[in-house]
Every structure is written in structure tokens, then in C-alpha cells.
Amino acid sequence: MNPGPTAPTAPATALLEDFSLEMTGKDVPKLEEAHAAVPRGTRVNVTFLGNEDLRMRLDAARAVKRLGLVPVPHISARRLASRSDLEEFLAGLAADGAAENVFVVGGDPARPEGPYEDALAVIRTGLLERYGVRHVGISGYPEGHPAITEHSLWSALTDKSAVLGTRRLAGDVITQFGFDAEVVLGWVERVRERGVELPIRVGVPGPAGVRRLMGYATRFGVGTSASIARKYGFSLTNLVGTAGPDRFLRTLAREYDARRHGDLKVHFYTFGGLRATSEWITRFRAEG
């Protein structure tokens, strides 16, 4: 019996059953505009950027919850000037009922602005549990990090996973966005070989202008222009138009093997395009 033309792409849509999104503190109006296209209960990460303040971050987490979504506020370890700064943020989240899920990352500053040199230092304080945190996201880097050695990245990942287990905190790994599904899956296999069984959310760029995608990729050191163009299917001689992660997700789904890769989900970096990303996901799922 002919399964029909949509059958080959069905596994790709299955990866989107529990996708998550990312926004900044300034994106609340964009989230309000997009939320009708976002399934209730979707996890929405709220960044912790240097140009945002406490009120903006708390307001954004509150807005996510008000719209029927699950706020996942970021905590940037090296941006915290003091222990009291961390407690003030956690207390604010707890007061709004938005502290259950957080994502803890080292952050961009080369030198800590306070007592926390990395995400692990924040997790080890015990403050997360004290203020009601139950689930902690941590970072993963399938294509490496321009300022951190591979050995350090692996040590950080395995140490954080172990400490979360010791502290009885649930968690997941959210990766940097990438353009090469095969590289990502190879990295996931190595994660599992190291005994890390946390669910992994694969970072995916939402649909965006090709030039913008290339700019972000260059900024974060993710792949080369030639490899990105090849994997995403556009020409370097014509950077006009928009590119979506269709090909990436279909490759990811085709090569994904739960026995080797474990629990895998998708996390969209929206680059401010919350509505465009949400509507793209709806269309992609409808196509099968």
C-alpha cells in the first residue's frame, strides 16, 4: 500500500511535538503578537542579557506565564554581581510563580562580575532549590566554543549533569544553534557515551533572512559560510530571501535513533522573530 507523499517527512514533525522557543526581555510585545500560534504549555526561554535589567527579565517571565506558556528564565552566572543579586532574581521569580524552570549558563563576560565563575558555581549554591526551582537547563556545544577548550566543555557538561542528579534536580541540555544535523547527532552520541542521560534540546535557527543567519553564525563561530550554505540549500552568490530549517530538521529526523541518541527535542532561536518562527512551525507540521 502506498503510504502517500507526506509519509517520509512525518518523523521530522514528530520532533516538534514538544519544541521550545527563545526570546529576550524586550520581546514581550512580539510574544503577545505570536502567542495564538504557540501551543499552550510551550516552554519559552527568557534571556539574561547585559542590556536588560531585573524588572525587564521578571516582566518577561511573568508575561510568558500569563499567556499560558512555561517561562524558563536564564541565569547568567558571570553577569551576577553578588549572591544577593541571584537571590533577588530568584525571589522575584518565586513571587510570580515562575521559578520552577530555569536555564543556567556561564554567560558572555570573560571575567565574572561577581562570585560566580560559571553555571556550576550557581547550581552548587543550593539557592535554586531554596526558591522553588525544580528543573535546570544547561548548555551544550556540538560545534565547540570559540573561547573554551573541548576538554573544558566536556568536563563542564558531565560535572553539571552529575551535580543536578546529586541535588535531585531534573534538567535538560540545550545546544547552541547549528546548521549541520549530522555533526549534532555525532555529538549527542558522545554525550550518551559519557553517561549523560538528560534530554537534549537541539538548537535550531528559526526562519530568518539569509544575511542575518550568516551574521549570527559568524558571531557565534558556528560552521563556515560554505558549509552553512550547503546544508541549508542557498547560494553564497545570492543572499537575498529567507531560509528556514526544513532541511536540517528532516536530516535530523532521518538520522535520529532513540537507542543511540536518547530523548531528543528541538529548541528554536527566534532572533526576535517569534511570530515568524511559530507560524513556520505550524506550516511545517501541516505539511507532514
Side-chain angles (χ1 to χ4, degrees):
M1 180 177 178
N2 188 341
T6 62
T9 59
T13 61
L15 284 174
L16 300 178
E17 289 301 315
D18 182 23
F19 67 87
S20 53
L21 300 170
E22 188 148 318
M23 62 177 281
T24 72
K26 297 177 181 178
D27 286 338
V28 171
K30 296 178 180 179
L31 182 66
E32 291 174 336
E33 181 185 55
H35 89 275
V38 183
R40 288 185 66 83
T42 296
R43 298 169 70 85
V44 180
N45 284 41
V46 181
T47 58
F48 195 109
L49 302 179
N51 59 358
E52 298 168 349
D53 58 22
L54 175 67
R55 180 168 183 174
M56 183 179 295
R57 295 169 187 136
L58 292 176
D59 285 348
R62 189 180 301 120
V64 172
K65 185 175 181 183
R66 171 173 54 82
L67 293 170
L69 308 170
V70 177
V72 185
H74 287 201
I75 299 174
S76 179
R78 286 190 288 273
R79 290 195 188 281
L80 294 166
S82 65
R83 180 183 174 95
S84 62
D85 276 2
L86 174 58
E87 292 208 61
E88 185 179 8
F89 185 44
L90 290 171
L93 293 174
D96 292 333
E100 185 172 345
N101 301 272
V102 298
F103 175 79
V104 186
V105 65
D108 292 334
R111 294 183 178 180
E113 297 173 13
Y116 307 115
E117 63 179 357
D118 55 25
L120 188 58
V122 170
I123 295 169
R124 281 177 166 156
T125 63
L127 292 174
L128 302 183
E129 303 99 305
R130 186 180 304 176
Y131 285 93
V133 173
R134 297 292 176 265
H135 185 283
V136 179
I138 58 177
S139 300
Y141 299 92
E143 297 194 39
H145 189 290
I148 306 175
T149 66
E150 183 175 4
H151 173 76
S152 296
L153 289 174
W154 282 118
S155 294
L157 179 62
T158 55
D159 288 350
K160 285 182 284 188
S161 175
V163 171
L164 290 179
T166 300
R167 306 195 75 88
R168 298 184 180 179
L169 287 165
D172 59 14
V173 179
I174 301 179
T175 77
Q176 68 190 147
F177 68 86
F179 298 90
D180 192 327
E182 293 171 354
V183 168
V184 170
L185 288 173
W187 176 84
V188 172
E189 283 195 62
R190 294 194 294 277
V191 171
R192 301 310 186 203
E193 289 168 359
R194 284 168 168 79
V196 177
E197 299 299 332
L198 296 173
I200 294 176
R201 290 185 176 271
V202 175
V204 180
V210 171
R211 288 185 183 276
R212 194 174 192 188
L213 279 175
M214 300 291 280
Y216 276 109
T218 301
R219 176 183 171 189
F220 293 104
V222 182
T224 65
S225 297
S227 67
I228 293 166
R230 184 177 67 256
K231 295 294 181 180
Y232 256 50
F234 56 79
S235 170
L236 288 176
T237 61
N238 182 12
L239 299 182
V240 178
T242 299
D246 312 56
R247 184 177 295 190
F248 179 96
L249 287 177
R250 290 195 171 99
T251 302
L252 191 71
R254 185 176 65 248
E255 303 295 333
Y256 169 58
D257 180 346
R259 293 168 299 180
R260 290 184 290 134
H261 303 122
D263 188 352
L264 215 61
K265 305 179 189 298
V266 177
H267 177 76
F268 286 92
Y269 291 90
T270 65
F271 308 132
L274 284 158
R275 181 173 179 177
T277 299
S278 302
E279 291 178 347
W280 180 91
I281 294 169
T282 299
R283 288 193 303 271
F284 187 79
R285 294 176 74 171
E287 292 169 1

